[in-house]
Amino acid sequence: MPPNTTASTGQQPGKSGRKKGRKARLIVLVLVLAVIAGVTGGAYWSISTVRASFPQTKGSLTLDGLSGPVDVKRDGYGIPQIYASSDEDLFMAQGYVQAQDRFYEMDVRRHMTSGRLSEMFGKSQVDNDEFLRTLGWDRIAQQEYDKTLSASTKKYLQAYAKGVNAYLDGKEGKDISLEYAALGFTNDYKPEKWTPVDSVSWLKAMAWDLRGNMQDEIDRALMTSRLGPKEIADLYPQYPYSRNKTIVQAGQYDEITKTFEQSGSTSTAGSSTAGSTGGTAGTASSSGTAGLQSQLAGLQNVLDDLPTAVGVNGNGIGSNSWVVSGKHTITGKPLLANDPHLSASLPSVWYQMGLHCRTVSSKCQYDVTGYTFAGMPGVIIGHNQNIAWGMTNSGVDVTDLYLEKLSGDGYQLDGKTVPFETREETIKVAGGEPKKIVVRETNNGPLLSDRSSELVKVGKKATVDTAAPDRGDGYGIALRWTALDPGTSMDAVFAMDRAADWNDFRAAATLFDVPSQNLIYADTEDHIGYTLPGKIPTRAKGYDGSVPAPGWDSRSRWTGYIDDDELPYEYNPARGYIVTANQAVIDKDKYPYTLTTDWGYGTRSQRITDLIQSKIDDGGKISTDDMRQMQLDNSSEIAKLLVPQLLKIDIDDKDVRHAKDVRDAQELLEGWDYTQDADSAAAAYFNSVWRNILKLAFGNKLPKELRVKGQCLLVDPVNTTGPADETQKVRECGERDADQAQPDGGDRWFEVVRSLVDDEDSDWWSTPKSGNRPGATDRDQLFKRAMIDARWELTAKLGKDIDTWSWGRLHRLFLKNQTLGTEGPGFLQYALNRGPWKLSGGEATVNATGWNAAGGYGVVWVPSMRMVVNLGDLDKSKWINLTGASGHAYNAHYTDQTDKWADGELLDWSFSDGAVDESTSDTLVLRP
């Protein structure tokens, strides 16, 4: 049930769809219902059946448990603003309203976080449930609720759950959503009551998708089967500190009282990520290489199949946020922008709303608006009456994989056998028998490798060298991760929502332990700031978290966590702005701890910085619309580097068949301004050339575990000392899902090519002959072949006439319902899914409509929302969501923001009482 893929059925709801309106929707709905009536053997869904689950948005309702009346005011896009007189009433109403719009989504999410998807969808989800039970998110969430969260947070969670359950009371599945009606044909599933822990668990799922460098850790270890240390280092270059600015430039961290030597931690923040890890850090990859390779390959297969929460299984997760102080803005007060890059989902992962106390007091403390997750009280990103904040993923390394030596009923540690901690889990299966599993944990965490029988077999047969312990029962992979300890992130949500100034905000941020995020800040008094919160581990000297560590050596364990007052921050920098876009937080020479060895490489962040600085240098003042235009910047930085080289390539008639056709495509790049607009033929051709350069130079040289599933090559056998002749080559097929494969074409690959492009005779540019196509021995020969291959690839995809080519025809977004829209019957996918949209933007572009160059051109992740907060006049702030407020197919607000989102438009964002009243279309009163 992967909720986000890039193939779909459905209609294109483009601009013409806006004109047809309700009549067109009803015609389609009638047709769909007629199909359903025939396919389901006489079962009939009427239009009233589908509409039965739509929320009541006018009049009044009685909710037991309220202490006073609550007003729910919705604007023309169905976005609710809630007004109450007590905190408990506010959050109870939030639970009720979110359940009205999104309960099916909430229910699926809590079944994912608790490893109970099989209860809804049957045996197809058992493997996923086994893995999720092994991680045990809901168990940790329960511990947080019982032991670490504040009394007030528990009170709010209880009120929220009470509101959700008030909505569910007396309703059957078909009264809640179309999806439940569909599920009713295959099982007798009935939604159960919501609990406070269901809300807390969602933060664990969010943390999993934003977990840092675990994927790079796996990939580097897998590369060792075909690449040497120097080659791997080539593919993980150093962060370009001299070219791309870090987040914190003139900032600080408070009074570090522990020296590096006292803490025993790694002392550099940007050490080499591959091929140069010293000391014992390389032990796991050098001892038990075959075992580790196979264990990690099997683990990757498990990870590929997992449903995502907000990201793309940990890959490609980025975001943009920046804040500009009043000295550089038209209003004289700060402007703050944010657009998190996440998987495209339907409905969007975000839910827009406002939570307003009629009078802010000790009894009712909130006046806040922004984006939250359906299923969670409070606001995650947004603003209150005094401050605004945004988030991007910091990418700090909070996960480590350990190769464990298994022995009998335990594992080896410092030469002794230690018993596992175990627990038994029972997985209930809709339409089938329950399945029991045993979860085993070492001192480093749960054994992920237990979730695959193939991994167990491999562990028993693993070849190891003399540095590793005796074989015993084989080897396994364990996960150490900060989110597997109880935390306080839920407390942080409410603390940020009511923060009044920088000191309040910083205090709130210290509670946001998992996932670690870059937090930017602005307030109405013209202050701006940045802080890095999070529970970030320290490691012993010689271990930097870049490769799996040897679990049998206690020296490989974490030594502690960086203290809150030692984490980087910046407040009111002299330059007057702060940019965060997943680049390095702070220069490696200015900070004594290793935050990660796998930063984003700063392509987006430096482009945003250049756009802001250019405006300042020209003497201009930045407006809200300037911030919006920056969010939509489509400039390709890799094109600026490569196009001048590509235009020098001589496409001559003597050695290129149909050379004129290739030259015609090459000429598209002449005078191109490097912007990737949806209607650009040059962008289409360049991105195809880029994809083929990556495939020829790098992709075909990677091990099968990193290449696209089903793409097969004739390769030299592993461990051969030199090139094999044609008779010795073996056929080897890729094993990774298309949106997870490498090279993905992101800004790490920009940096790889940038570092090699002047070395015309690098071995990376050498590629063998393939069929009747010649090989390459240098850069220009490889570039020529990539240009030829790109011409014929686009001819096949878009037609021979280059005048009809456009980037948007390749680069399309499909929105799919997260469950039945991917696995349901075709007619149901037709009913639930939407698209395609032809998009501008691209990989490592500010307008980051991400695509995976190894797998194709389809959109994999997107700016999941966009916002610009105007601290000079909060009612002049702007926002947009990827889809709409509603999770109900055929509701007017299912995807009513998507066309505007695709066109780069923003909606008015009302905040004050007067502005909300003016924009209100429907009012519902909830009464005690």
Side-chain angles (χ1 to χ4, degrees):
M1 186 202 95
N4 301 299
T5 60
T6 56
S8 173
T9 57
Q11 292 198 335
Q12 181 177 346
K15 295 184 179 180
S16 61
R18 300 179 214 165
K19 301 175 181 178
K20 296 176 183 177
R22 184 182 301 270
K23 181 178 179 181
R25 286 195 300 271
L26 288 178
I27 291 171
V28 173
L29 180 55
V30 170
L31 292 173
V32 170
L33 294 175
V35 171
I36 291 173
V39 171
T40 57
Y44 181 69
W45 292 358
S46 65
I47 291 177
S48 62
T49 302
V50 175
R51 285 180 169 170
S53 59
F54 290 4
Q56 179 180 338
T57 59
K58 295 180 179 180
S60 64
L61 289 168
T62 299
L63 260 62
D64 290 340
L66 288 175
S67 63
V70 176
D71 296 328
V72 181
K73 301 179 180 181
R74 293 181 184 258
D75 67 10
Y77 288 89
I79 300 169
Q81 306 279 345
I82 299 175
Y83 292 82
S85 299
S86 73
D87 290 339
E88 291 93 328
D89 284 357
L90 193 65
F91 294 117
M92 183 177 176
Q94 183 182 16
Y96 185 88
V97 170
Q98 286 192 343
Q100 280 187 304
D101 284 330
R102 300 277 194 96
F103 183 77
Y104 177 76
E105 174 194 3
M106 293 163 59
D107 199 16
V108 170
R109 283 180 177 172
R110 68 165 163 179
H111 278 78
M112 180 182 70
T113 59
S114 59
R116 296 168 52 211
L117 289 167
S118 301
E119 294 180 19
M120 295 185 76
F121 304 107
K123 63 182 181 181
S124 67
Q125 297 304 308
V126 170
D127 288 347
N128 285 335
D129 283 347
E130 289 185 14
F131 188 83
L132 294 166
R133 293 286 183 97
T134 300
L135 291 173
W137 294 340
D138 60 330
R139 295 176 60 255
I140 307 302
Q142 185 69 59
Q143 292 175 32
E144 287 186 5
Y145 184 78
D146 292 339
K147 298 177 182 178
T148 65
L149 295 180
S150 68
S152 62
T153 293
K154 291 182 184 179
K155 181 173 63 176
Y156 301 154
L157 289 165
Q158 291 163 1
Y160 181 90
K162 188 187 297 184
V164 175
N165 293 329
Y167 168 77
L168 293 176
D169 188 37
K171 289 185 173 66
E172 298 181 18
K174 63 182 177 63
D175 301 321
I176 300 172
S177 80
L178 174 64
E179 290 92 334
Y180 287 122
L183 280 178
F185 293 123
T186 59
N187 63 49
D188 58 357
Y189 173 80
K190 292 181 174 56
E192 60 193 37
K193 288 189 175 182
W194 194 262
T195 73
V197 174
D198 291 333
S199 296
V200 180
S201 294
W202 179 236
L203 280 172
K204 298 300 177 186
M206 175 184 170
W208 175 252
D209 279 358
L210 305 177
R211 61 189 177 270
N213 79 331
M214 183 172 140
Q215 190 65 60
D216 289 311
E217 194 173 338
I218 292 172
D219 287 356
R220 272 191 292 269
L222 290 172
M223 284 180 185
T224 59
S225 70
R226 289 219 169 262
L227 303 176
K230 182 186 181 303
E231 292 171 309
I232 296 174
D234 284 347
L235 302 187
Y236 287 88
Q238 292 276 354
Y239 184 87
Y241 290 99
S242 62
R243 187 175 70 253
N244 293 343
K245 300 290 187 183
T246 59
I247 297 173
V248 174
Q249 297 173 35
Q252 63 237 47
Y253 44 93
D254 291 331
E255 299 179 11
I256 292 185
T257 57
K258 299 177 184 177
T259 65
F260 160 68
E261 290 81 9
Q262 289 172 329
S263 68
S265 300
T266 321
S267 63
T268 59
S271 58
S272 176
T273 60
S276 59
T277 49
T280 53
T283 302
S285 58
S286 64
S287 62
T289 300
L292 180 63
Q293 291 278 331
S294 299
Q295 291 280 348
L296 290 174
L299 175 59
Q300 180 62 48
N301 290 335
V302 174
L303 295 176
D304 274 352
D305 290 337
L306 279 182
T308 58
V310 298
V312 191
N313 286 336
N315 274 348
I317 302 302
S319 297
N320 302 321
S321 69
W322 65 96
V323 60
V324 182
S325 70
K327 71 178 181 179
H328 297 311
T329 68
I330 287 175
T331 65
K333 292 292 177 70
L335 294 171
L336 184 150
N338 198 186
D339 55 288
H341 307 155
L342 303 172
S343 291
S345 59
L346 180 60
S348 167
V349 69
W350 297 110
Y351 185 91
Q352 300 155 282
M353 71 187 321
L355 301 170
H356 307 279
C357 291
R358 293 190 177 96
T359 301
V360 177
S361 65
S362 59
K363 180 183 178 184
C364 198
Q365 305 172 72
Y366 297 89
D367 189 15
V368 62
T369 181
Y371 297 84
T372 188
F373 300 125
M376 186 186 299
V379 167
I380 306 299
I381 294 173
H383 72 81
N384 60 28
Q385 68 271 42
N386 298 306
I387 75 165
W389 67 96
M391 297 184 188
T392 63
N393 196 28
S394 70
V396 298
D397 187 359
V398 296
T399 61
D400 277 350
L401 294 172
Y402 287 85
L403 182 63
E404 300 285 6
K405 174 65 196 63
L406 311 183
S407 179
D409 293 327
Y411 57 97
Q412 287 205 13
L413 180 63
D414 295 335
K416 298 179 181 179
T417 299
V418 180
F420 297 110
E421 289 187 17
T422 63
R423 67 179 189 273
E424 187 174 85
E425 300 272 354
T426 301
I427 298 171
K428 298 178 181 177
V429 182
E433 295 297 317
K435 181 175 182 179
K436 292 186 177 181
I437 64 169
V438 174
V439 177
R440 302 189 294 176
E441 295 195 17
T442 73
N443 65 329
N444 292 312
L447 277 175
L448 304 186
S449 49
D450 277 358
R451 300 286 64 88
S452 167
S453 58
E454 287 303 309
L455 292 185
V456 175
K457 293 176 186 176
V458 166
K460 289 181 178 180
K461 296 179 180 179
T463 56
V464 296
D465 64 26
T466 55
D470 292 335
R471 176 182 310 284
D473 290 345
Y475 289 82
I477 294 287
L479 171 68
R480 183 79 175 95
W481 177 34
T482 53
L484 297 183
D485 298 322
T488 55
S489 294
M490 199 72 238
D491 285 339
V493 172
F494 298 111
M496 284 192 290
D497 284 357
R498 59 178 182 262
D501 56 28
W502 172 246
N503 289 334
D504 285 353
F505 185 75
R506 281 264 287 165
T510 64
L511 300 170
F512 204 92
D513 47 15
V514 178
S516 176
Q517 298 287 286
N518 296 312
L519 298 180
I520 59 166
Y521 166 93
D523 63 35
T524 56
E525 300 299 314
D526 196 20
H527 301 295
I528 65 173
Y530 161 85
T531 190
L532 175 71
K535 191 175 183 180
I536 303 171
T538 56
R539 298 169 176 87
K541 190 173 184 179
Y543 295 92
D544 63 5
S546 64
V547 294
W552 52 82
D553 187 343
S554 62
R555 292 174 298 177
S556 68
R557 298 208 74 205
W558 293 353
T559 58
Y561 301 94
I562 303 175
D563 290 343
D564 290 330
D565 61 2
E566 296 177 312
L567 291 169
Y569 72 92
E570 195 166 41
Y571 185 58
N572 288 335
R575 66 185 179 279
Y577 59 87
I578 301 169
V579 176
T580 88
N582 318 113
Q583 78 271 40
V585 169
I586 190 167
D587 193 287
K588 62 181 180 179
D589 297 326
K590 296 180 180 178
Y591 195 65
Y593 297 108
T594 296
L595 296 172
T596 185
T597 57
D598 292 296
W599 299 114
Y601 281 81
T603 304
R604 282 179 287 109
S605 61
Q606 193 57 44
R607 176 62 179 172
I608 296 166
T609 297
D610 291 345
L611 290 170
I612 295 171
Q613 193 61 51
S614 175
K615 187 81 173 181
I616 293 170
D617 291 344
D618 289 344
K621 296 288 187 178
I622 295 172
S623 68
T624 300
D625 196 60
D626 289 330
M627 300 285 273
R628 180 187 71 87
Q629 292 287 353
M630 292 177 194
Q631 288 179 324
L632 301 177
D633 183 78
N634 291 321
S635 176
S636 169
E637 297 304 300
I638 193 63
K640 292 177 184 177
L641 176 70
L642 293 185
V643 165
Q645 301 288 344
L646 298 176
L647 288 174
K648 295 176 184 177
I649 303 295
D650 181 18
I651 308 295
D652 52 53
D653 293 285
K654 66 174 182 272
D655 62 355
V656 178
R657 294 181 64 224
H658 304 289
K660 183 181 183 305
D661 290 330
V662 181
R663 285 197 299 270
D664 287 345
Q666 183 184 33
E667 289 172 2
L668 290 172
L669 304 179
E670 295 179 0
W672 179 43
D673 62 0
Y674 312 121
T675 59
Q676 300 169 96
D677 295 333
D679 59 0
S680 170
Y685 181 60
F686 172 78
N687 281 317
S688 182
V689 173
W690 170 238
R691 178 174 186 244
N692 280 279
I693 288 173
L694 292 172
K695 178 182 178 183
L696 293 169
F698 310 105
N700 291 350
K701 298 165 188 173
L702 295 176
K704 63 182 184 298
E705 293 89 355
L706 275 70
R707 301 201 314 267
V708 175
K709 189 180 297 181
Q711 289 186 2
C712 302
L713 298 170
L714 287 176
V715 300
D716 294 345
V718 174
N719 297 326
T720 53
T721 57
D725 63 39
E726 291 298 320
T727 62
Q728 294 175 308
K729 290 183 180 293
V730 295
R731 189 170 186 266
E732 194 178 75
C733 298
E735 296 180 351
R736 189 168 289 187
D737 285 352
D739 62 1
Q740 306 290 311
Q742 294 292 339
D744 61 22
D747 68 352
R748 173 164 68 87
W749 293 99
F750 286 20
E751 200 63 28
V752 168
V753 171
R754 184 185 296 275
S755 65
L756 294 171
V757 73
D758 291 332
D759 183 0
E760 299 180 31
D761 297 315
S762 167
D763 288 344
W764 288 108
W765 305 129
S766 176
T767 186
K769 178 181 178 182
S770 175
N772 60 358
R773 294 184 299 174
T777 59
D778 60 28
R779 181 199 65 196
D780 287 352
Q781 288 182 14
L782 186 139
F783 281 11
K784 178 188 286 189
R785 180 169 162 184
M787 294 171 72
I788 296 167
D789 289 354
R791 175 37 156 142
W792 303 126
E793 180 186 11
L794 294 197
T795 298
K797 291 179 181 295
L798 302 179
K800 185 176 180 180
D801 184 357
I802 63 174
D803 290 336
T804 67
W805 290 2
S806 70
W807 177 225
R809 288 180 61 196
L810 290 172
H811 192 55
R812 299 186 300 166
L813 170 67
F814 293 88
L815 292 176
K816 303 195 73 175
N817 178 278
Q818 61 184 330
T819 55
L820 300 180
T822 63
E823 295 292 328
F827 67 82
L828 200 54
Q829 293 187 35
Y830 184 88
L832 298 174
N833 298 339
R834 300 291 183 269
W837 284 264
K838 300 175 181 178
L839 297 188
S840 302
E843 185 64 32
T845 301
V846 179
N847 185 19
T849 54
W851 56 287
N852 186 302
Y857 303 97
V859 177
V860 179
W861 59 86
V862 294
S864 54
M865 60 80 157
R866 297 186 184 102
M867 73 176 197
V868 179
V869 182
N870 183 334
L871 277 300
D873 185 345
L874 292 169
D875 286 331
K876 292 183 179 177
S877 301
K878 302 286 185 177
W879 63 353
I880 196 78
N881 205 353
L882 172 63
T883 59
S886 180
H888 300 285
Y890 299 105
N891 184 279
H893 306 305
Y894 190 48
T895 56
D896 59 337
Q897 297 184 51
T898 309
D899 284 334
K900 291 183 179 296
W901 172 91
D903 292 342
E905 299 179 35
L906 298 174
L907 304 176
D908 292 336
W909 184 357
S910 301
F911 177 69
S912 69
D913 292 350
V916 170
D917 285 344
E918 187 174 343
S919 64
T920 296
S921 295
D922 295 347
T923 299
L924 174 69
V925 181
L926 305 176
R927 302 188 183 280

Coordinates of all heavy atoms in Angstrom, one line a residue, residues 718-748:
V718 N 31.5 -9.6 -9.6 CA 32.0 -8.9 -8.4 C 33.3 -9.5 -8.1 O 33.6 -10.7 -8.2 CB 31.0 -9.1 -7.3 CG1 31.6 -8.5 -6.0 CG2 29.7 -8.4 -7.6
N719 N 34.2 -8.6 -7.6 CA 35.6 -9.0 -7.1 C 36.5 -9.4 -8.3 O 37.6 -10.0 -8.0 CB 35.5 -10.1 -6.1 CG 34.8 -9.7 -4.9 OD1 34.8 -8.5 -4.5 ND2 34.0 -10.6 -4.2
T720 N 36.2 -9.1 -9.5 CA 37.2 -9.4 -10.6 C 38.3 -8.3 -10.5 O 38.0 -7.2 -10.1 CB 36.5 -9.3 -12.0 OG1 35.8 -8.1 -12.1 CG2 35.6 -10.5 -12.1
T721 N 39.5 -8.7 -10.9 CA 40.6 -7.7 -10.7 C 40.7 -6.8 -11.9 O 41.4 -5.7 -11.8 CB 41.9 -8.5 -10.6 OG1 42.1 -9.4 -11.7 CG2 41.9 -9.3 -9.3
G722 N 40.1 -7.1 -13.0 CA 40.2 -6.3 -14.2 C 39.0 -6.4 -15.1 O 38.1 -7.3 -14.7
P723 N 38.8 -5.7 -16.2 CA 37.7 -5.8 -17.0 C 37.5 -7.3 -17.6 O 38.5 -7.9 -18.0 CB 37.9 -4.8 -18.2 CG 38.9 -3.9 -17.6 CD 39.8 -4.7 -16.7
A724 N 36.3 -7.8 -17.5 CA 36.1 -9.1 -18.0 C 35.8 -9.0 -19.5 O 35.3 -8.0 -20.0 CB 34.9 -9.8 -17.3
D725 N 36.1 -10.1 -20.2 CA 35.7 -10.1 -21.6 C 34.2 -10.4 -21.7 O 33.5 -10.8 -20.7 CB 36.5 -11.1 -22.5 CG 36.3 -12.5 -22.0 OD1 35.2 -12.9 -21.7 OD2 37.3 -13.3 -22.0
E726 N 33.6 -10.3 -22.9 CA 32.2 -10.4 -23.1 C 31.6 -11.7 -22.6 O 30.5 -11.8 -22.1 CB 31.8 -10.1 -24.6 CG 32.0 -8.7 -25.1 CD 31.2 -7.7 -24.3 OE1 30.0 -8.0 -24.0 OE2 31.7 -6.6 -24.0
T727 N 32.4 -12.8 -22.8 CA 31.9 -14.1 -22.4 C 31.8 -14.3 -20.9 O 31.2 -15.2 -20.4 CB 32.8 -15.2 -23.0 OG1 34.1 -15.1 -22.5 CG2 32.8 -15.1 -24.5
Q728 N 32.6 -13.5 -20.1 CA 32.6 -13.6 -18.7 C 31.6 -12.7 -18.0 O 31.3 -12.9 -16.8 CB 34.0 -13.2 -18.2 CG 35.1 -14.2 -18.6 CD 36.5 -13.7 -18.2 OE1 36.8 -12.6 -18.4 NE2 37.2 -14.6 -17.5
K729 N 31.0 -11.8 -18.7 CA 30.1 -10.8 -18.1 C 28.8 -11.5 -17.7 O 28.4 -12.5 -18.3 CB 29.8 -9.7 -19.0 CG 30.9 -8.7 -19.3 CD 30.5 -7.6 -20.2 CE 31.7 -6.6 -20.4 NZ 32.1 -5.9 -19.2
V730 N 28.2 -11.0 -16.6 CA 27.0 -11.6 -16.1 C 25.8 -10.6 -16.2 O 26.0 -9.4 -16.2 CB 27.1 -12.0 -14.6 CG1 28.1 -13.1 -14.5 CG2 27.5 -10.8 -13.7
R731 N 24.6 -11.1 -16.4 CA 23.4 -10.2 -16.4 C 23.0 -9.9 -15.0 O 22.7 -10.8 -14.2 CB 22.3 -10.9 -17.2 CG 21.1 -10.0 -17.6 CD 20.2 -10.7 -18.5 NE 19.1 -9.9 -19.0 CZ 17.9 -9.8 -18.4 NH1 17.7 -10.6 -17.4 NH2 17.0 -9.0 -18.9
E732 N 22.9 -8.6 -14.7 CA 22.5 -8.2 -13.4 C 21.4 -7.1 -13.5 O 21.6 -6.1 -14.2 CB 23.8 -7.6 -12.7 CG 23.7 -7.4 -11.2 CD 25.0 -6.9 -10.7 OE1 25.2 -5.7 -10.9 OE2 25.7 -7.6 -10.1
C733 N 20.3 -7.4 -12.7 CA 19.2 -6.5 -12.8 C 19.0 -5.7 -11.5 O 19.3 -6.1 -10.4 CB 17.9 -7.3 -13.0 SG 17.9 -8.2 -14.6
G734 N 18.6 -4.4 -11.7 CA 18.4 -3.5 -10.6 C 17.3 -4.0 -9.6 O 16.4 -4.8 -10.0
E735 N 17.4 -3.6 -8.4 CA 16.5 -4.1 -7.3 C 15.7 -3.0 -6.6 O 14.9 -3.3 -5.7 CB 17.3 -4.9 -6.3 CG 18.0 -6.1 -6.9 CD 18.8 -6.9 -5.9 OE1 18.9 -6.4 -4.8 OE2 19.2 -8.0 -6.2
R736 N 15.9 -1.7 -6.9 CA 15.3 -0.7 -6.1 C 14.1 0.0 -6.8 O 14.1 0.1 -8.0 CB 16.3 0.3 -5.7 CG 15.9 1.4 -4.7 CD 17.0 2.2 -4.1 NE 17.9 1.4 -3.2 CZ 18.8 1.9 -2.5 NH1 19.1 3.2 -2.6 NH2 19.6 1.2 -1.7
D737 N 13.1 0.4 -6.1 CA 12.0 1.1 -6.6 C 12.4 2.3 -7.4 O 13.4 3.0 -7.0 CB 11.0 1.5 -5.5 CG 10.2 0.3 -5.0 OD1 10.3 -0.8 -5.6 OD2 9.4 0.5 -4.0
A738 N 11.7 2.7 -8.4 CA 12.2 3.8 -9.3 C 12.3 5.1 -8.6 O 13.2 5.9 -8.9 CB 11.2 3.9 -10.5
D739 N 11.5 5.4 -7.6 CA 11.6 6.7 -6.9 C 12.6 6.7 -5.8 O 12.7 7.7 -5.1 CB 10.2 7.2 -6.5 CG 9.5 6.3 -5.5 OD1 10.1 5.3 -5.1 OD2 8.4 6.6 -5.1
Q740 N 13.3 5.6 -5.6 CA 14.3 5.5 -4.5 C 15.7 5.2 -5.1 O 16.7 5.2 -4.3 CB 13.9 4.3 -3.6 CG 12.5 4.4 -3.0 CD 12.4 5.5 -2.0 OE1 13.2 5.6 -1.1 NE2 11.4 6.3 -2.2
A741 N 15.8 5.0 -6.4 CA 17.1 4.5 -7.0 C 18.1 5.6 -7.1 O 17.8 6.8 -6.9 CB 16.8 3.9 -8.4
Q742 N 19.3 5.2 -7.4 CA 20.4 6.2 -7.7 C 21.0 6.0 -9.1 O 20.9 4.8 -9.6 CB 21.5 6.0 -6.6 CG 21.0 6.3 -5.2 CD 20.8 7.8 -5.0 OE1 21.3 8.7 -5.8 NE2 20.0 8.2 -4.0
P743 N 21.5 7.0 -9.6 CA 21.7 8.4 -9.1 C 20.4 9.2 -9.3 O 19.8 9.2 -10.4 CB 22.8 9.0 -10.0 CG 22.7 8.2 -11.3 CD 22.2 6.8 -10.9
D744 N 19.9 9.8 -8.2 CA 18.6 10.4 -8.3 C 18.6 11.8 -8.9 O 17.6 12.4 -9.2 CB 18.0 10.5 -6.9 CG 18.8 11.3 -5.9 OD1 19.6 12.2 -6.3 OD2 18.6 11.1 -4.7
G745 N 19.8 12.4 -9.1 CA 19.9 13.7 -9.8 C 19.8 14.9 -8.9 O 19.7 16.0 -9.4
G746 N 19.8 14.7 -7.6 CA 19.7 15.8 -6.7 C 21.0 16.6 -6.5 O 22.0 16.3 -7.3
D747 N 21.0 17.5 -5.5 CA 22.2 18.4 -5.5 C 23.5 17.7 -5.1 O 24.6 18.3 -5.3 CB 21.9 19.7 -4.7 CG 21.7 19.5 -3.3 OD1 21.7 18.3 -2.8 OD2 21.7 20.5 -2.5
R748 N 23.4 16.5 -4.5 CA 24.7 15.8 -4.3 C 25.3 15.4 -5.6 O 26.5 15.6 -5.8 CB 24.4 14.5 -3.5 CG 25.7 13.6 -3.4 CD 25.6 12.6 -2.3 NE 24.6 11.6 -2.5 CZ 24.8 10.5 -3.2 NH1 26.0 10.2 -3.7 NH2 23.8 9.6 -3.4

